[in-house]
Amino acid sequence: MSLIVQKYGGTSVGNTERIRNVAARVARYRAQGDQIVVVVSAMSGVTDNLIKLAKEIMPLPNEREMDVLLATGEQTTIALTAMALHALDIKAVSLTGAQAGIRTDGMHTKAKIQNITPKRIHQYLDRGNVVIVAGFQGVTPDGHITTLGRGGSDLTAIALAAALKADLCQIYTDVDGVYTADPRIVPSARKLAEISYDEMLELASLGAKVMQSRSVEFAKKFGVVFEVRSSLNDNPGTIVKEETKNMEDVVIRGVSLDKNQAKVTLVGVPDKPGIAAKIFKTLGDAAINVDMIVQNISHGAGAPATDLSFTVDKPELLKAQKVIGGLKTEIGFGEIISTDKIGKLSIVGVGMKSHSGVAGRMFETLAKEGINIEMISTSEIKISVVIDLAKGEQAMKAVHAAFLGC
Ligand code: ASP
Ligand code: MG
């Protein structure tokens, strides 16, 4: 007998028919004698709609009340899922985050889990119940309802799997697993049988959103092995786990394209200590997230100057321009050139650590396609380039073919 945590996302519980499908799947596992803890999200669209309602009342609602409101989405789903199991004659009980013993800090709308006391869950399991827990929510030591940030049901599932020492943690979603590239852009993309936590985190942060990053970090920290799979079929999904030696045999695990960045270049920035600090501190203070940074060598003998480029999230470009514009006289740079017509193409793989020539091969592939590289950044397991947005998908296909075949 195994203890299995299954998490179903918003689309997997998007209507009552889908909830019945979830119940049927749980029933099949139950028939094998396994103990099942089910974590559910709000039905798709519900959380967005609750946020919309709140904003109709006032633009900046009180965050404690926001959490009371948002937690109702998941509370609806746990009850309906329990009923769907009852309809199949299966013993099931629903628990809110608080009832399940999920304690958090008091940072409303983005609370952190502090500890989980799963005593009640164990009691219900031992009495033969399927236990259905509301994702995305917890309670402070003082009894206030909290939520864990958008996409937080993933975190609930991973944290519960750790606390319950579950044998298996399955994250059910509307895709079959993690792919070598977005199959909508690269038709030859393949589903991965396995991927390491670090690769998954890099791909997630590069825009290949399958799961909330925080929950992958949590899984890595506590060594929770999990599987991402579809709730719409029975295909095996992708196992996410700590890197193993044979994972390095594959040079590249995946390719991703982030179309959501913009590039800002400051021309003729004085090349002296403290200038970069000033620029990026100011951006940071304005809560603007900077990703890549490239600074050229300086030119000019008397008062050396350099060009400095960086990327920000596309929706923050205007704000970044304004913030930087405010520094123009103080710092004394030439002009600001910016564009949102860029794409960031990245290749990710732990195999890079033990294979050489990976960057050269990527750049050569782009050269053959006549694609100019505007910026480059690398980490131990990732190489990213900024290129013309119009050529992004062409570049992605070519690089995927070069490393992962067609
Ligand atoms: N319902 C929440 C959201 O939409 C949590 C989740 O789905 O994981 O963000
Ligand atoms: Mg979700």
Side-chain angles (χ1 to χ4, degrees):
M1 187 183 71
S2 315
L3 171 54
I4 307 176
V5 173
Q6 298 186 334
K7 182 256 169 177
Y8 293 91
T11 37
S12 303
V13 293
N15 54 45
T16 48
E17 193 197 323
R18 293 246 169 113
I19 291 176
R20 280 209 196 91
N21 288 343
V22 166
R25 184 184 297 270
V26 172
R28 289 202 295 280
Y29 277 91
R30 204 57 201 112
Q32 296 165 20
D34 296 324
Q35 290 189 322
I36 319 282
V37 174
V38 178
V39 175
V40 285
S41 291
M43 295 164 80
S44 56
V46 166
T47 308
D48 287 336
N49 197 43
L50 291 170
I51 293 171
K52 193 171 143 264
L53 289 177
K55 299 222 154 134
E56 275 172 30
I57 303 275
M58 63 188 296
L60 266 184
N62 175 281
E63 292 188 324
R64 180 194 179 279
E65 301 314 324
M66 207 57 199
D67 277 349
V68 174
L69 178 71
L70 294 186
T72 62
E74 273 70 13
Q75 192 167 335
T76 305
T77 327
I78 52 172
L80 291 173
T81 308
M83 291 171 193
L85 282 160
H86 295 165
L88 299 174
D89 268 332
I90 292 172
K91 278 176 79 176
V93 60
S94 66
L95 298 177
T96 63
Q99 290 172 324
I102 300 173
R103 286 286 186 89
T104 73
D105 63 18
M107 285 293 286
H108 284 290
T109 74
K110 44 185 175 299
K112 288 204 169 64
I113 296 180
Q114 283 179 332
N115 59 68
I116 299 183
T117 316
K119 204 172 121 211
R120 202 183 255 136
I121 297 181
H122 279 302
Q123 283 169 353
Y124 279 115
L125 286 174
D126 291 344
R127 284 184 232 143
N129 290 280
V130 172
V131 179
I132 300 145
V133 180
F136 176 56
Q137 55 175 264
V139 68
T140 67
D142 303 336
H144 299 284
I145 296 173
T146 52
T147 64
L148 308 174
R150 296 306 305 268
S153 299
D154 288 334
L155 185 60
T156 305
I158 300 283
L160 270 180
L164 294 164
K165 300 187 177 60
D167 300 291
L168 202 59
C169 178
Q170 300 173 318
I171 307 289
Y172 285 92
T173 173
D174 50 1
V175 292
D176 271 4
V178 183
Y179 278 73
T180 52
D182 183 341
R184 286 167 302 186
I185 301 176
V186 184
S188 58
R190 295 183 307 275
K191 185 177 66 190
L192 294 162
E194 56 180 28
I195 187 170
S196 71
Y197 296 123
D198 289 333
E199 290 169 331
M200 178 86 172
L201 281 166
E202 288 286 14
L203 287 172
S205 68
L206 297 171
K209 265 265 163 289
V210 185
M211 263 179 90
Q212 188 208 38
S213 297
R214 239 173 98 191
S215 53
V216 182
E217 279 159 14
F218 193 100
K220 177 177 154 81
K221 190 162 160 201
F222 292 95
V224 178
V225 177
F226 61 91
E227 181 186 16
V228 178
R229 55 185 292 168
S230 170
S231 65
L232 309 171
N233 58 48
D234 283 323
N235 301 339
T238 303
I239 304 283
V240 187
K241 59 180 191 179
E242 196 47 75
E243 169 184 338
T244 57
K245 199 71 206 121
N246 69 347
M247 281 185 176
E248 283 194 34
D249 295 346
V250 182
V251 186
I252 294 303
R253 188 82 50 209
V255 181
S256 82
L257 177 64
D258 184 354
K259 299 180 179 177
N260 198 34
Q261 293 211 1
K263 186 177 74 164
V264 180
T265 302
L266 309 185
V267 182
V269 184
D271 191 13
K272 55 183 192 211
I275 299 292
K278 177 91 205 156
I279 292 169
F280 293 104
K281 170 95 179 30
T282 309
L283 287 165
D285 289 346
I288 295 170
N289 196 16
V290 173
D291 183 27
M292 289 164 97
I293 301 174
V294 170
Q295 181 185 310
N296 286 328
I297 54 160
S298 45
H299 38 79
T306 175
D307 296 343
L308 184 70
S309 297
F310 58 89
T311 63
V312 296
D313 291 342
K314 210 173 261 185
E316 290 185 341
L317 177 59
L318 278 180
K319 193 167 154 200
Q321 282 170 319
K322 210 171 134 218
V323 167
I324 293 296
L327 292 174
K328 195 162 183 221
T329 31
E330 186 184 340
I331 294 183
F333 53 83
E335 52 174 333
I336 308 174
I337 305 171
S338 42
T339 172
D340 61 0
K341 304 276 182 300
I342 59 159
K344 185 172 87 167
L345 180 72
S346 307
I347 55 178
V348 173
V350 291
M352 271 183 219
K353 294 187 209 169
S354 50
H355 290 81
S356 55
V358 181
R361 209 160 125 202
M362 181 188 195
F363 302 160
E364 192 183 34
T365 307
L366 295 170
K368 274 195 200 133
E369 299 285 322
I371 294 167
N372 186 41
I373 299 172
E374 297 173 27
M375 295 169 96
I376 301 171
S377 82
T378 63
S379 79
E380 212 185 8
I381 65 164
K382 176 189 77 178
I383 302 170
S384 300
V385 295
V386 166
I387 54 177
D388 178 6
L389 180 63
K391 297 196 169 155
E393 298 196 354
Q394 176 196 347
M396 189 180 193
K397 283 182 198 140
V399 168
H400 188 273
F403 286 97
L404 293 149
C406 343

